DNA sequence: GCGATACAATTGCGATTGCAACTCAAGGCA
DNA sequence: TGCCTTGAGTTGCAATCGCAATTGTATCGC
């Protein structure tokens, strides 16, 4: 996949794809929606009163705004979230999770968590889990900074 | 993003998204094609005589076959690869990289490698790079096994 | 107060992806 | 040989994504 040293990087992208693919496969096999829905539902549910502003949510789950708009459209159509505009700031849009949304997220979480706990986490001991996750967070931060610097 | 312990997993997916996004941004800023093309070009180029069979390539770069068909369509249209069928096995299709394909891959690689070397790799020391990449490979293997077992 | 600028969210449209079905060739095996 | 199953690759169509506007609102400087 590369012609030099960064094996770690290629292990990173390859394992990511394979694992996501397997999670998607198990979710689909259980008749549940795609992985992206979980992220969005959790992003909403974890906000104050199960509510979040759109751009805050987009940032949290690392998804482009225009895609979030339409993802939330779909969630709303399924009755998993509701939308509201803010009286204070006319630009702001808020998303709130519904009971159905919470229930679905929980069902997805069972499969999602099992898969991660079975295939991914056991490959790291407790100490490594901490240090690797910190290293990845630093990388994410560096990347965010870099893209902001470039405007 | 989750409601329990697997912080490592969420750091993993978050950092992956942010990093890929930044790589895409830099490639686009340099007027180069998307990240996916790099993968495909490298997958072809790294084969014997710069040639690979379709399904072998799909497997190597972790992409679905039907998507590979169309990705190769686009690469072929741009003159970056050529296609050929096998005389021995009438089912097999071979892809071969062209000089233009090699040149483009090299140009992309400069940006790609710089980004990874700048934002990602420095977060891990040499020992960690080895052990983490092994852990990720084990996870990928486990996931592949799991999906095969399920047929 | 008013125009220029910045922000938040959305939308039109073309490109890409995912699923399921399909074509054609190989490999059993009765 | 003839039939059935499997394998490799592709395609039709619907869903989703990405880019470049667009709309509407807030804020800043004068």
């Amino acid at each position: 996949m590369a012609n030099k040293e960064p094996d770690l990087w290629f292990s990173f992208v390859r394992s990511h794809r394979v694992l996501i693919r397997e999670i998607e496969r198990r979710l689909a096999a259980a008749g549940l929606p795609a992985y992206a829905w979980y992220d969005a539902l959790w992003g909403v549910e974890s906000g104050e009163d199960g509510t979040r502003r759109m751009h805050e949510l987009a940032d949290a789950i690392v998804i482009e705004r225009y895609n979030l708009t339409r993802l939330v459209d779909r969630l709303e159509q399924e009755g998993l979230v509701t939308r509201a505009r803010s009286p204070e700031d006319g630009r702001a849009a808020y998303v709130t999770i519904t009971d159905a949304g919470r229930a679905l997220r929980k069902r997805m979480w069972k499969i999602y968590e099992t898969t991660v706990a079975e295939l991914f986490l056991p490959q790291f001991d407790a100490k490594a889990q901490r240090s690797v996750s910190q290293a990845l967070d630093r990388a994410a931060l560096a990347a965010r900074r870099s893209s902001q610097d470039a405007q």
Side-chain angles (χ1 to χ4, degrees), chain A residues 63-116:
Chain A
I63 181 182
E64 308 297 335
R65 310 252 161 93
Y66 45 82
N67 286 332
L68 181 60
T69 295
R70 289 181 277 216
L71 176 51
V72 169
D73 285 349
R74 284 169 248 151
L75 296 175
E76 194 181 18
Q77 276 179 352
E78 299 293 325
L80 303 169
V81 301
T82 57
R83 247 195 264 237
R85 300 211 79 110
S86 163
E88 295 103 48
D89 188 333
R91 295 169 302 182
Y94 287 91
V95 193
T96 304
I97 195 164
T98 65
D99 288 345
R102 285 178 205 268
L104 176 62
R105 190 197 69 79
K106 238 175 240 118
R107 286 205 295 142
M108 295 182 77
W109 174 243
K110 272 206 196 84
I111 291 182
Y112 186 9
E113 199 223 355
T114 304
T115 311
V116 172

Side-chain angles (χ1 to χ4, degrees), chain A residues 15-151:
Chain A
S15 60
H16 180 269
R17 283 192 209 158
V18 175
L19 285 160
I20 294 290
R21 185 192 264 187
E22 174 64 6
I23 290 168
E24 296 275 21
R25 195 189 63 73
R26 291 194 190 187
L27 286 172
L32 292 168
Y35 170 81
W37 287 36
Y38 179 85
D39 262 12
L41 288 174
W42 173 248
V44 177
E45 184 172 347
S46 62
E48 180 124 5
D49 294 323
T51 297
R52 285 237 198 236
R53 282 195 63 165
M54 289 292 277
H55 79 277
E56 181 193 2
L57 181 57
D59 209 55
I61 66 180
V62 192
I63 181 182
E64 308 297 335
R65 310 252 161 93
Y66 45 82
N67 286 332
L68 181 60
T69 295
R70 289 181 277 216
L71 176 51
V72 169
D73 285 349
R74 284 169 248 151
L75 296 175
E76 194 181 18
Q77 276 179 352
E78 299 293 325
L80 303 169
V81 301
T82 57
R83 247 195 264 237
R85 300 211 79 110
S86 163
E88 295 103 48
D89 188 333
R91 295 169 302 182
Y94 287 91
V95 193
T96 304
I97 195 164
T98 65
D99 288 345
R102 285 178 205 268
L104 176 62
R105 190 197 69 79
K106 238 175 240 118
R107 286 205 295 142
M108 295 182 77
W109 174 243
K110 272 206 196 84
I111 291 182
Y112 186 9
E113 199 223 355
T114 304
T115 311
V116 172
E118 175 188 331
L119 304 174
F120 181 75
L121 294 177
Q123 316 303 338
F124 303 84
D125 63 36
K127 202 168 66 102
Q129 293 207 13
R130 264 193 310 283
S131 69
V132 172
S133 113
Q134 282 166 11
L136 292 173
D137 290 347
R138 284 194 301 271
L141 188 61
R144 282 194 206 255
R145 285 223 182 93
S146 167
S147 76
Q148 278 178 349
D149 290 353
Q151 246 61 273

